[in-house]
């Protein structure tokens, strides 16, 4: 079973690499769109394809992560229920960080030059964008702190 999992992940990885390379080649070598949004700004013809690829890869990563977490949690719950429940601490902490970041987010519209869309006026999307940015800052800071403490702990041991 392990060899099958390795083989499937191997082919999926290289298929994703191929799609990424094709879309990046289209984006960089595909020329400019016929009607640029603002005449002074570059507007590659395949920007939509690149954005859809990124949305797809993000969605794929989220789905695979959730499925793996559920399978691992279910397996751990059978073997050691206490350890399985302790593994939920990280998920609960992430949910708390998301809630705090949501409450810190601003619903004030931004002034974006050359943008006339309605998404900048919707308080929900403004707050969710701030939530993701603040969560990213927190996770980067937590990673830096964890690296520092693990290095210090290793030196002291």
């Amino acid at each position: 079973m392990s060899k099958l999992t390795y083989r499937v992940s191997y082919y999926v990885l290289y298929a994703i690499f191929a799609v990424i390379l094709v879309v990046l080649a289209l984006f960089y070598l595909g020329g400019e769109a016929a009607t640029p949004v603002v005449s002074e700004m570059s507007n590659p013809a395949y920007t939509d394809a690149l954005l859809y690829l990124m949305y797809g890869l993000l969605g794929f990563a989220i789905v695979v992560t959730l499925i793996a977490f559920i399978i691992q949690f279910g397996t751990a719950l059978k073997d050691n229920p206490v350890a399985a429940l302790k593994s939920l601490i990280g998920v609960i902490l992430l949910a708390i960080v998301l809630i705090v970041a949501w409450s810190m987010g601003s619903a004030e519209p931004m002034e974006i030059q050359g943008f006339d869309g309605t998404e900048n006026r919707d308080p929900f999307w403004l707050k969710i964008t701030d939530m993701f940015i603040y969560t990213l800052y927190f996770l980067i800071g937590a990673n830096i702190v964890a690296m520092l403490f693990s290095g210090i702990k290793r030196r002291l041991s």
Side-chain angles (χ1 to χ4, degrees):
M1 185 67 175
S2 171
K3 189 167 184 147
L4 176 66
T5 305
Y6 172 77
R7 192 175 285 168
V8 168
S9 67
Y10 177 82
Y11 289 124
V12 168
L13 175 69
Y14 283 108
I16 289 173
F17 281 162
V19 171
I20 289 170
L21 288 175
V22 167
V23 172
L24 283 176
L26 285 172
F27 179 76
Y28 286 113
L29 306 173
E32 294 287 322
T35 57
V37 177
V38 177
S39 60
E40 298 88 27
M41 300 175 88
S42 174
N43 187 16
Y46 292 97
T47 303
D48 288 345
L50 184 63
L51 289 173
Y52 291 137
L53 174 68
M54 293 302 111
Y55 291 148
L57 290 175
L58 177 65
F60 180 71
I62 290 171
V63 167
V64 168
T65 302
L66 288 175
I67 289 171
F69 173 75
I70 291 169
I71 290 171
Q72 183 180 10
F73 180 74
T75 305
L77 196 59
K78 290 179 196 174
D79 297 338
N80 190 353
V82 175
L85 293 176
K86 283 183 182 179
S87 72
L88 286 179
I89 292 173
V91 175
I92 293 169
L93 288 175
L94 180 62
I96 290 170
V97 167
L98 289 172
I99 291 168
V100 170
W102 170 269
S103 66
M104 289 173 50
S106 171
E108 183 178 329
M110 299 180 297
E111 294 297 325
I112 303 174
Q113 184 179 17
F115 179 73
D116 297 326
T118 59
E119 293 85 3
N120 190 28
R121 311 278 186 270
D122 188 2
F124 172 77
W125 289 112
L126 291 168
K127 286 182 76 78
I128 203 121
T129 303
D130 283 351
M131 178 188 74
F132 286 139
I133 291 171
Y134 291 145
T135 303
L136 182 68
Y137 291 159
F138 174 79
L139 292 175
I140 289 172
N143 280 330
I144 291 171
V145 169
M147 286 188 298
L148 289 174
F149 280 126
S150 68
I152 292 170
K153 182 180 176 184
R154 188 176 12 188
R155 294 278 177 153
L156 295 176
S157 299

